[in-house]
Amino acid sequence: MLFYLITIIVVLIDQATKVFVRMNLALYEKVTWAGIEFTYNENSGMAGGFFPGYARAFGIISVLFVIFIFYLRRSEAWRGPLIDISLGFLVGGAVGNGMDRLLHGQVTDFIVRSGGILNVADHALEIGIVLFIIHELVQWLKRRKRVKSE
């Protein structure tokens, strides 16, 4: 249930913030709010603007990624609180950006960071990756401890 809850929350927040930005800012308009810089940008490629014009292809990759995660989750090994949270963020981020790519042919970005301009889905993907790495480290330590005790 945690997986689905996080996925839905990420998608809703991501899509709501993108709609808000598209309705209230002009393209490339810059605004600072609560010490955070926002710049409305549209990206027709992937992260960092690489491969511009291939948004729909990356949208299809997002769909395949989500299907793959649902396939993996059929196994008990891909369930548990930490992996559910991790995969919820990953799927939520993939769905959020995938929707933009398939529906609009581009992704709305607006949160300025030192690495570029991102959106909520991008941040969810980053969180999901970090939590996935932590999950895998914990699993590795458990396996190592089990082998030592045998």
Side-chain angles (χ1 to χ4, degrees), residues 3 19 33 41 43 45 53 63 71 82-83 88 91 120 138-139 145:
F3 165 78
V19 167
W33 181 72
N41 189 40
N43 178 1
V63 170
Y71 173 77
L82 186 55
I83 195 68
V91 169
V120 172
V138 168
Q139 295 306 309
K145 184 178 177 182

Side-chain angles (χ1 to χ4, degrees), residues 14-42:
D14 176 66
Q15 291 300 301
T17 55
K18 289 174 180 174
V19 167
F20 179 82
V21 166
R22 287 192 296 262
M23 291 177 67
N24 293 287
L25 295 177
L27 194 58
Y28 308 119
E29 182 178 353
K30 295 179 182 189
V31 186
T32 301
W33 181 72
I36 302 170
E37 185 181 335
F38 298 93
T39 301
Y40 175 22
N41 189 40
E42 295 290 348

Side-chain angles (χ1 to χ4, degrees), residues 47 65 69 78 82-94 113 121-137:
F65 173 76
I69 295 299
W78 287 86
L82 186 55
I83 195 68
D84 281 352
I85 295 168
S86 168
L87 295 178
F89 276 107
L90 288 170
V91 169
R113 259 189 17 196
D122 296 331
H123 285 91
L125 289 165
E126 290 176 346
I127 292 167
I129 289 168
V130 169
L131 292 175
F132 183 81
I133 291 168
I134 292 169
H135 172 266
E136 289 302 307
L137 285 172

